Amino acid sequence: MLPKLTMQESIMMQEIWKAGTDISQQELRQMMKQRTGDLLHRNTISSFLKILSEKRYISTYHKGKYRYIHIEKSLESEIKEQAKWTSDFFFQGDKSKLIEIIESE
């Protein structure tokens, strides 16, 4: 079973993936504010980063007084794993059935 992301973790990962490069915790905080309209407390961001790190989506490092976020699991890898899991779980690995559903109206 894949380590599932909560909705808030997914939103945060979308912003990290959108950045496409290492970003500071402060940059992520501002990106989340633009997306949600709320300025999350830095401790809240830190808690989410810890969880995302434990789930191996990111790693963090310090440079000077700033904490940076590095992507460990690409968006493409996440989509591929989720599609494979869905195909295996619902269609006994028959990916064509999953594709049929995706392409149907």
Side-chain angles (χ1 to χ4, degrees):
M1 183 63 92
L2 294 171
K4 300 250 188 245
L5 294 177
T6 65
M7 183 59 72
Q8 187 66 29
E9 291 165 357
S10 295
I11 291 169
M12 197 166 285
M13 276 308 303
Q14 285 179 334
E15 292 303 312
I16 294 168
W17 281 320
K18 189 167 56 173
T21 187
D22 293 4
I23 58 171
S24 70
Q25 182 174 336
Q26 184 61 28
E27 288 171 307
L28 176 60
R29 190 171 180 226
Q30 292 304 317
M31 292 165 73
M32 291 298 293
K33 180 181 180 189
Q34 282 186 316
R35 180 167 182 157
T36 66
D38 294 325
L39 184 60
L40 298 174
H41 192 277
R42 63 185 185 92
N43 289 344
T44 302
I45 297 281
S46 290
S47 294
F48 278 109
L49 294 179
K50 181 177 185 269
I51 293 165
L52 290 170
S53 180
E54 288 169 356
K55 291 181 177 183
R56 298 185 179 174
Y57 282 83
I58 63 158
S59 59
T60 61
Y61 62 93
H62 285 85
K63 190 173 183 182
K65 65 179 186 172
Y66 296 102
R67 182 179 187 192
Y68 285 86
I69 303 154
H70 177 76
I71 299 167
E72 293 293 341
K73 185 173 191 178
S74 70
L75 175 59
E76 293 79 11
S77 173
E78 175 69 4
I79 291 169
K80 189 182 271 188
E81 285 182 26
Q82 292 292 341
K84 181 177 180 348
W85 181 89
T86 302
S87 172
D88 291 347
F89 186 81
F90 291 104
F91 307 113
Q92 294 73 45
D94 186 353
K95 293 175 183 71
S96 66
K97 292 192 187 262
L98 178 60
I99 292 167
E100 270 180 47
I101 290 172
I102 292 168
E103 292 180 344
S104 70
E105 291 182 34

